[in-house]
Every structure is written in structure tokens, then in C-alpha cells.
Amino acid sequence: MEDQVTQILERIRFAEALCELDSAKSRLQSGQLQELIGHLDRMRERFSTMHALPEERSEVMALRQSLADLRVELRPCIQDVEAKLEESLKEYRSALGGDKEAFEKLSEAEQEGSRPLAYRFKKDYRTLKDLSELLSLLSADLMNLSDRVEHHFLHSHPAPEIGDYEYRDNVPAPGSISP
């Protein structure tokens, strides 16, 4: 579990770093950016204190609910980033017109020098794409961790024995209409 928590913390740190880039700041409204950073901060706090899997059923259920809540909070942020990603892609294509292939064959420096606006849109797109992918991975990590917590609990607490039953109790009664 420590590996998963460490991976989640690394992704949170990387997402926070992406949020600090000018390309993210210029694309996401300050409210959207602050909301995303707030969610990332809450996740970091939650995972920095997690050292062992809970053993009690109520703790397991509370942790799983907490992980689900984090995913629910993250979903609108992912949608906002993806909407800005699409917007940035449209602006990039619009700025280039029919020169997209020729532009993309140029080096980074040549791109920036020849078409600074298109280059900025491309840079914004890359940042938002990285952020979108990272947030989706975080969401998947939260779901995987929730599953792992549940499986660990179920494997460490065997199911209670159920009493014997007779097979005939499970056989349905014969039909009332005779053939």
C-alpha cells in the first residue's frame, strides 16, 4: 500500500507543479485553478497521514467513502481542464490555418520565432494535456486504492460460517397447473 500512496503523492506534487506553470494559469480561470489546487492539497493531507490500512470494518468503509468523495471532487476539475484543452486545441489550429504540418516540422525555437501565438497555444495545450492525464491517473489511483483496501479487509477477515441447509429448501414448489 505504501507504494500506491507514494505514487499518489508524487502525482499530486506533479499536478501542483503543472498548476503553477504560466500556461495553466493563463488557461484556467483563477477560481478553477484555486479549486483544483484545494482538491490537490486535501488529497496530499489525506495521503501524507496514511501509513497503514485500517483493520475495522467501519474504518475501511469510512476510508473508501473518503476516497470516493475525493474522486467526486476531482471530476469537475478534470472536466474543466478538458474543456480548456479543447479550447486551446481549436485556437492552436486556428492560429496555424493550413500550415500545421510545416509548423510542426520546425524545431521548438523555430516554432516560437516564426509563429509565437501558435507556439503559445501549443505550449498551453501540452500543459493542459499533461494535467488532464495526470488528474485522470489520480482518479484511477484513488479507485484502485479503494479496491485494494476492500480486498485487504476481506482477505484478512474470513467470511463467517453459514449453517447447513438442505438442498430441498431451495427447490421451488411444483407448478399448480398440471400438464
Side-chain angles (χ1 to χ4, degrees), residues 54-65 153:
E55 294 297 324
E56 296 298 318
R57 181 166 184 69
S58 61
E59 293 172 344
V60 168
M61 297 312 286
L63 176 57
R64 292 194 74 221
Q65 184 60 51
F153 177 77

Side-chain angles (χ1 to χ4, degrees), residues 55-171:
E55 294 297 324
E56 296 298 318
R57 181 166 184 69
S58 61
E59 293 172 344
V60 168
M61 297 312 286
L63 176 57
R64 292 194 74 221
Q65 184 60 51
S66 172
L67 294 172
D69 291 344
L70 288 172
R71 286 189 69 229
V72 167
E73 289 178 14
L74 199 55
R75 190 173 303 131
C77 295
I78 293 171
Q79 291 170 345
D80 288 344
V81 170
E82 287 176 352
K84 293 298 180 180
L85 180 66
E86 288 298 318
E87 182 181 301
S88 182
L89 182 60
K90 286 178 186 174
E91 289 173 342
Y92 170 67
R93 287 179 178 157
S94 167
L96 286 175
D99 298 336
K100 183 177 178 288
E101 255 184 69
F103 178 78
E104 290 182 350
K105 288 181 182 178
L106 299 174
S107 71
E108 291 284 319
E110 292 171 328
Q111 287 177 358
E112 186 174 15
S114 67
R115 307 287 287 271
L117 184 62
Y119 181 76
R120 192 191 79 187
F121 290 146
K122 178 182 175 184
K123 195 172 160 187
D124 292 352
Y125 175 81
R126 284 183 179 164
T127 300
L128 293 173
K129 180 99 172 121
D130 289 345
L131 186 56
S132 174
E133 289 173 0
L134 191 60
L135 294 175
S136 294
L137 287 171
L138 267 172
S139 181
D141 287 344
L142 293 172
M143 188 167 39
N144 290 339
L145 183 58
S146 179
D147 288 345
R148 185 163 181 194
V149 166
E150 180 182 36
H151 286 219
H152 173 73
F153 177 77
L154 292 175
H155 288 291
S156 64
H157 295 83
E161 293 291 324
I162 47 177
D164 292 331
Y165 61 93
E166 292 184 30
Y167 179 72
R168 68 173 181 250
D169 288 347
N170 290 334
V171 177

